[in-house]
Amino acid sequence: MNDSENNYKTHYFDWAATSPADEDILKQAVELTLKDWGNPSSTHQVGKNARTLLEQARDRAAKALGVPSSTVYFTSGGTESDQIPLLAQLCKPAKGTVLISSIEHPAVREQALALKSCGWKVEQLDADKNGIITPQTVIDSLTSDTTLVCIMAVNNETGVIQPIYEIADAITKWSAGKRKPKFHVDCVQAAGKIQLNLAHPGIDSAALSSHKICGPRGIGILYMKDQIDVFLRGGGQEKGIRSGTENVLGAVAFSLALERYYNKEKPELVEASAKFVEALSKLKGCTIVPPGRLQNPELFSPYVVQASFDHIPGNVMLRALDSKGFYISTGSACSSKKNKRPVLEAMHITPQISENAVRFSFGPHTTAQAIDELFDAVSKVNSQFNK
């Protein structure tokens, strides 16, 4: 790798959008699947060899996730893994209520709106000023016809960590003696960033995405504790949960990425991120979003930081840093062209702060030195507008 390529990766701070793929993992996955290239559903030896490779990947992923292999389903990505449990509601004999948090990713939010157009009742759970959905908020919204609750583990814009285990326990306790609503967790921004326990009682399903954790795009995992009826059907692959010829190369690469990066601590990055937030907060005209992060840093992932700068629209800060070789974003890559910030609106962040907000996101390869260099660049841009 030459110096320019190395600098390109070193100063990349948009890991929440996608991560640079681990080259060793991709090479290993390509080598394995070039050797066993068959269709895993074929019954001849070539197909059986590919099936063995696929099931080895499933076992490897399950071991990394700490769940049974029978609960791991390979999908096309985080979006599909989020949507399968939502679309499964359409298979129910009677319409009911689905609860989603007000700060969900569009993969959940937009699919829930599609359910609403089909006659389902969809209610949003309000977040507090820090963007947190409390267990009590969930319990207060549960009704006898609630069939599904969707709350993401880590928000992709603010980095706020939701109390998913406490929520799971609260739903289970509320359901004693009656039907329990399913609890789905979007773990796309959490996997490889914070400690996760998908086997926690009360969590029924979870979505993960390969390209957020140094794997390739186009492959995801749906953890599904129990079998469900699915709305989209086909050839019956993945035990009918996700039909379509399996992406063996993606499955192998994702499983290797989980093995290498899932639930691995990186104390030096955590410390560097905390220093970065503290330094940003002291810049003239800078607001940490939400401000409560300064008082309660433990409630936020160190891998996602959002800040707003007076007199600097988010797109201006993005372009200014881009010209200096630093790469950030103004929020979710999936919504970057819509110029809307529904997550910040749900948190009652003022329009001006929302318009000026930018996201800095890190990954396992981000160094403390690179974060220091990022701060210097941000400080110089900020000084030009906030003198």
Side-chain angles (χ1 to χ4, degrees):
M1 182 182 296
N2 59 43
D3 290 342
S4 62
E5 289 174 325
N6 186 58
N7 187 66
Y8 183 72
K9 284 189 175 181
T10 299
H11 290 154
Y12 179 74
F13 301 101
D14 197 16
W15 284 72
T18 196
S19 63
D22 186 308
E23 295 178 18
D24 291 338
I25 284 175
L26 290 190
K27 288 176 181 177
Q28 185 176 349
V30 168
E31 183 179 339
L32 288 169
T33 50
L34 281 176
K35 177 175 176 284
D36 292 319
W37 41 263
N39 186 323
S41 295
S42 298
T43 57
H44 48 60
Q45 191 58 51
V46 176
K48 289 178 180 178
N49 292 344
R51 169 60 60 182
T52 297
L53 200 59
L54 178 65
E55 295 310 319
Q56 288 174 343
R58 193 185 316 279
D59 291 343
R60 188 185 299 113
K63 183 178 179 180
L65 296 173
V67 298
S69 296
S70 60
T71 64
V72 173
Y73 302 90
F74 290 110
T75 68
S76 65
T79 292
E80 187 178 31
S81 294
D82 276 328
Q83 292 179 341
I84 288 174
L86 279 158
L87 287 171
Q89 305 310 303
L90 296 175
C91 298
K92 297 184 183 301
K95 297 180 177 67
T97 300
V98 171
L99 303 180
I100 69 170
S101 83
S102 59
I103 60 168
E104 289 300 303
H105 187 276
V108 169
R109 185 175 64 246
E110 296 300 320
Q111 191 61 66
L113 291 177
L115 282 180
K116 189 174 183 179
S117 70
C118 294
W120 279 74
K121 186 176 181 181
V122 176
E123 292 189 357
Q124 288 197 355
L125 301 166
D126 292 334
D128 67 15
K129 62 182 180 180
N130 286 323
I132 293 175
I133 310 297
T134 67
Q136 191 60 51
T137 296
V138 177
I139 296 306
D140 289 345
S141 300
L142 289 174
T143 58
S144 60
D145 74 340
T146 302
T147 61
L148 179 67
V149 179
C150 299
I151 298 176
M152 67 195 323
V154 172
N155 184 260
N156 53 300
E157 293 193 40
T158 66
V160 66
I161 301 171
Q162 299 297 339
I164 55 172
Y165 308 116
E166 292 83 352
I167 290 171
D169 292 343
I171 294 173
T172 300
K173 183 178 180 181
W174 179 89
S175 305
K178 51 186 179 248
R179 179 189 52 80
K180 175 186 171 295
K182 298 291 187 181
F183 181 36
H184 174 74
V185 183
D186 180 340
C187 293
V188 168
Q189 292 295 343
K193 309 292 180 61
I194 66 170
Q195 293 290 310
L196 282 174
N197 177 19
L198 299 187
H200 184 90
I203 295 179
D204 297 291
S205 58
L208 301 96
S209 178
S210 169
H211 77 102
K212 308 291 189 178
I213 188 173
C214 299
R217 296 173 191 144
I219 184 74
I221 281 176
L222 171 63
Y223 161 71
M224 182 71 68
K225 185 169 65 175
D226 300 311
Q227 193 84 5
I228 60 170
D229 289 330
V230 294
F231 181 71
L232 297 178
R233 308 185 186 196
Q237 293 88 344
E238 296 297 293
K239 293 191 290 187
I241 295 294
R242 199 275 175 179
S243 292
T245 302
E246 300 93 337
N247 177 0
V248 181
L249 188 153
V252 171
F254 193 6
S255 68
L256 292 170
L258 287 170
E259 189 174 62
R260 182 168 294 183
Y261 296 106
Y262 187 79
N263 278 357
K264 300 293 193 298
E265 300 283 357
K266 196 174 182 186
E268 64 273 18
L269 188 143
V270 174
E271 181 180 351
S273 176
K275 287 174 57 181
F276 178 67
V277 172
E278 183 67 23
L280 282 179
S281 70
K282 294 177 180 177
L283 289 179
K284 184 177 180 180
C286 178
T287 300
I288 302 299
V289 182
R293 180 174 192 142
L294 294 170
Q295 289 74 46
N296 300 286
E298 72 282 357
L299 300 180
F300 296 84
S301 166
Y303 291 83
V304 180
V305 175
Q306 184 149 208
S308 182
F309 301 85
D310 290 353
H311 315 302
I312 314 178
N315 286 326
V316 173
M317 176 63 83
L318 186 153
R319 290 195 297 270
L321 289 177
D322 185 61
S323 69
K324 297 177 180 292
F326 294 83
Y327 312 105
I328 66 166
S329 71
T330 55
S332 171
C334 300
S335 304
S336 62
K337 296 180 180 179
K338 299 179 182 178
N339 297 317
K340 292 183 178 181
R341 305 298 295 273
V343 169
L344 300 189
E345 289 176 15
M347 295 168 59
H348 305 291
I349 303 297
T350 66
Q352 181 177 356
I353 289 179
S354 296
E355 182 184 352
N356 294 0
V358 294
R359 180 184 69 185
F360 310 98
S361 53
F362 316 127
H365 298 163
T366 306
T367 65
Q369 180 181 338
I371 294 177
D372 287 342
E373 291 169 356
L374 170 64
F375 174 75
D376 289 341
V378 171
S379 181
K380 289 175 182 177
V381 174
N382 185 66
S383 65
Q384 295 174 5
F385 292 85
N386 290 290
K387 298 180 179 179

